[in-house]
């Protein structure tokens, strides 16, 4: 059957501030590392985030946010070759 793949069920706070810790709830149906990047709305990679490995089920992740200009960003989260999840956030300095 169809695999559920990877789903981001929650991401907060939004808007983000420089001192914020980005928190993500990610549901997956397989174990393994994820790659995460922060992109501007033009699709340019602005920063990579190290979030490590996921395990099957709900994962609660947190990471410091790099120093970026204020604006809207897309956080792209991918596990293996599965379709990536995109989370849109506002970043306010």
């Amino acid at each position: 059957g169809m695999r559920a793949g990877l789903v981001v069920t929650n991401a907060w706070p939004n808007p983000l501030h420089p001192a914020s810790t980005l928190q993500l709830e990610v549901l997956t149906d397989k174990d393994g590392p994820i790659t995460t990047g922060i992109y501007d709305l033009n699709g340019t990679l602005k920063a990579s985030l190290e979030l490590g490995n996921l395990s099957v089920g709900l994962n609660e992740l947190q990471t410091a946010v790099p120093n970026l200009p204020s604006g809207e960003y897309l956080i792209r989260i991918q596990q293996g070759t599965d379709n990536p999840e995109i989370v849109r956030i506002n970043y306010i300095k």
Side-chain angles (χ1 to χ4, degrees), residues 18-33:
S20 300
T21 299
L22 174 65
Q23 307 205 61
L24 298 167
E25 289 180 356
V26 182
L27 196 58
T28 185
D29 60 3
K30 69 178 179 185
D31 295 332

Side-chain angles (χ1 to χ4, degrees), residues 4 11 13-14 16 27-28 35 38 40-41 44-45 50 54-56 61-62 67 73 76 80 82-84 88-89 91:
N14 189 5
L16 270 174
L27 196 58
T28 185
T35 55
I38 299 180
D40 66 18
L41 298 187
T44 303
L45 180 64
E50 292 298 326
L54 296 183
S55 51
V56 170
L61 308 172
Q62 54 185 37
N67 192 15
Y73 293 91
R76 183 180 186 275
D82 290 351
N83 287 335
R88 189 168 178 147
I89 57 155
Y91 184 82

Side-chain angles (χ1 to χ4, degrees), residues 17-19 38 46-47 49 64-70 73 91-93:
H17 298 275
I38 299 180
K46 293 298 183 181
L49 299 176
V65 180
N67 192 15
L68 297 166
S70 294
Y73 293 91
Y91 184 82
I92 300 174
K93 297 189 90 155

